[in-house]
């Protein structure tokens, strides 16, 4: 009943002081101002929270800035819960991520199916398993050459998917790699990292144990400033070379780094495109003024 009283009073006063009813009369402007006052009063009293703020303001008129803040925080507050907006945004990004990764993965499979090295191996495995013979059945199940070719292509792609471990940006997408699961699993990953870091300090800093193969590769990867997926995409013989040269030792890595930089400089110096670029920069590149004779 208490909530219905402001609505009932508002309807009565609104009909009485509505500007359209008093249009053309002398007190129309006064009625318009009073109608706005009535509407403001109704907006304040119809809601339980705003009514509490109004009662508090009457009891504590000296807290002007607090009333001012509460009023505009309610007026400008979003109508939809911000948490729902964030959740929907994260879910949309996660769905886009997942399908984008699947698209990249399928592109990689389609490309590998055209590479002779992988296609020949996949075809040989399909023959050994008798998968290609099934596509050339006769009688009622006989199909056109186009259908047989498409089915053989799918068989080859499936074998490539199962036999080849694609790493890096074109690896097979996993559901827990998307943004939504990364956010949900963030506390778990943080706790896991803290436990692992404490274990590392205890084993190698306090007890002075020797590094294992995984620990050595981890240090090398950190020196090279590579992500885990980037490092995993390297060939096994490259990692074996890193271990043979003991690159987990800082001094050895610095020597290796300088060697790689010198080798890169030599390759760039021998590259005809790089030579043309340097010649252009020297003769006609930015910062050089030339005159054209007519």
């Amino acid at each position: 009943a208490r909530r219905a009283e402001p609505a009932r009073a508002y309807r009565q006063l609104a009909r009485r002081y509505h500007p359209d009813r008093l249009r053309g009369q002398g007190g129309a402007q006064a009625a318009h101002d009073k109608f706005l006052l009535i509407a403001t009063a109704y907006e304040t009293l119809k809601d339980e929270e705003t009514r509490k703020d109004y009662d508090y303001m009457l009891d504590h008129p000296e807290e002007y800035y607090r009333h001012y803040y509460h009023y505009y925080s309610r007026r400008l507050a979003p109508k939809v819960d911000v948490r729902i907006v964030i959740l929907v945004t994260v879910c949309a990004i996660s769905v886009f991520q997942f399908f984008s990764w699947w698209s990249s993965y399928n592109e990689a499979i389609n490309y590998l199916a055209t590479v002779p090295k992988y296609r020949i191996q996949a075809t040989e495995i399909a023959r050994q398993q008798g998968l290609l013979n099934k596509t050339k059945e006769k009688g009622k199940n006989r199909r056109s050459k186009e259908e047989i070719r498409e089915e053989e292509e799918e068989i080859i792609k499936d074998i490539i998917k199962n036999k080849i471990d694609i790493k890096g940006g074109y690896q097979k997408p996993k559901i827990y790699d998307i943004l939504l699961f990364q956010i949900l699993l963030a506390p778990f990953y943080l706790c896991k990292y803290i436990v692992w870091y404490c274990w590392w300090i205890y084993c190698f800093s306090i007890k002075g144990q020797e590094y294992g193969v995984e620990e050595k590769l981890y240090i090398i990867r950190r020196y090279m400033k590579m992500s885990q997926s980037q490092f995993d995409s390297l060939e096994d013989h490259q990692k074996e070379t890193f271990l043979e040269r003991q690159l987990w030792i800082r001094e050895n890595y610095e020597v290796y780094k300088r060697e790689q930089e010198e080798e890169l400089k030599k390759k760039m110096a021998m590259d005809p495109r790089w030579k043309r670029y340097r010649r252009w920069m020297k003769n006609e590149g930015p910062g050089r003024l030339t005159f054209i004779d007519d």
Side-chain angles (χ1 to χ4, degrees):
R2 184 184 176 186
R3 296 184 62 181
E5 290 178 5
R8 190 181 309 111
Y10 170 72
R11 287 194 294 269
Q12 293 175 356
L13 294 173
R15 285 194 296 268
R16 181 178 177 183
Y17 292 101
H18 198 282
D20 291 341
R21 296 191 60 184
L22 301 175
R23 186 175 296 172
Q25 301 180 20
Q29 184 60 39
H32 175 76
D33 296 339
K34 195 159 188 176
F35 180 80
L36 292 179
L37 183 62
I38 294 168
T40 303
Y42 175 68
E43 291 295 326
T44 303
L45 298 177
K46 74 174 183 177
D47 184 79
E48 191 68 26
E49 295 297 325
T50 56
R51 184 186 298 181
K52 288 180 180 179
D53 288 345
Y54 181 72
D55 293 339
Y56 186 87
M57 182 191 70
L58 295 178
D59 296 335
H60 304 83
E62 71 281 359
E63 298 183 17
Y64 171 78
Y65 292 105
R66 184 178 184 275
H67 306 318
Y68 187 83
Y69 167 76
H70 276 281
Y71 173 76
Y72 280 101
S73 63
R74 292 187 184 281
R75 289 291 300 272
L76 301 177
K79 302 301 181 183
V80 182
D81 193 339
V82 176
R83 292 170 295 182
I84 297 177
V85 175
I86 294 175
L87 178 61
V88 172
T89 303
V90 170
C91 291
I93 294 174
S94 301
V95 171
F96 175 78
Q97 271 185 325
F98 191 71
F99 284 102
S100 177
W101 287 345
W102 263 113
S103 177
S104 298
Y105 176 70
N106 289 328
E107 286 179 7
I109 295 298
N110 292 335
Y111 170 73
L112 292 176
T114 63
V115 177
K117 173 183 175 181
Y118 302 110
R119 188 175 185 86
I120 292 172
Q121 292 179 1
T123 304
E124 185 62 28
I125 293 173
R127 286 201 182 97
Q128 292 175 1
Q129 296 178 357
L131 298 175
L132 295 182
N133 296 333
K134 294 180 181 180
T135 63
K136 300 178 180 179
E137 295 175 352
K138 298 181 180 179
K140 296 182 179 179
N141 297 326
R142 187 175 181 179
R143 284 157 292 177
S144 65
K145 292 183 179 180
E146 185 65 24
E147 291 175 339
I148 293 174
R149 189 188 65 80
E150 291 178 359
E151 187 172 346
E152 289 179 350
E153 194 70 21
E154 290 300 321
I155 291 172
I156 291 173
K157 290 180 181 179
D158 288 338
I159 292 175
I160 291 176
K161 288 179 182 179
N162 296 325
K163 296 296 182 181
I164 297 179
D165 184 19
I166 301 175
K167 297 178 180 179
Y170 293 91
Q171 64 185 357
K172 189 174 182 178
K174 300 175 182 177
I175 191 68
Y176 56 80
D177 286 337
I178 63 177
L179 179 61
L180 178 61
F181 280 87
Q182 290 295 304
I183 293 175
L184 295 176
L185 296 174
F188 168 75
Y189 289 141
L190 179 61
C191 294
K192 184 179 178 182
Y193 174 77
I194 293 173
V195 172
W196 172 86
Y197 186 75
C198 294
W199 169 83
W200 183 281
I201 295 296
Y202 174 75
C203 291
F204 304 115
S205 298
I206 298 177
K207 296 185 67 176
Q209 296 181 2
E210 293 186 1
Y211 295 126
V213 175
E214 294 297 326
E215 289 76 27
K216 293 175 181 177
L217 291 175
Y218 169 77
I219 296 173
I220 294 171
R221 180 175 68 82
R222 293 295 300 271
Y223 285 161
M224 292 183 172
K225 298 179 180 179
M226 300 175 67
S227 65
Q228 186 65 54
S229 60
Q230 290 174 327
F231 195 76
D232 290 342
S233 64
L234 297 177
E235 299 291 340
D236 291 337
H237 68 85
Q238 291 178 289
K239 298 177 182 178
E240 292 174 1
T241 302
F242 298 158
L243 295 173
E244 290 173 1
R245 298 197 57 173
Q246 299 183 352
L247 297 188
W248 67 89
I249 301 173
R250 188 74 190 190
E251 293 77 10
N252 295 344
Y253 174 74
E254 292 297 335
V255 173
Y256 172 81
K257 183 180 179 181
R258 287 195 293 269
E259 291 176 358
Q260 293 297 309
E261 290 174 351
E262 291 296 327
E263 185 177 350
L264 180 61
K265 290 179 181 178
K266 290 180 181 178
K267 287 183 179 179
M268 294 177 68
M270 299 299 295
D271 190 348
R273 291 174 298 179
W274 178 247
K275 288 182 179 180
R276 288 195 298 269
Y277 174 75
R278 286 188 300 171
R279 190 160 51 244
W280 176 80
M281 288 293 294
K282 180 180 179 181
N283 298 327
E284 304 175 13
R288 185 178 180 87
L289 298 177
T290 59
F291 293 90
I292 300 176
D293 296 328
D294 294 333

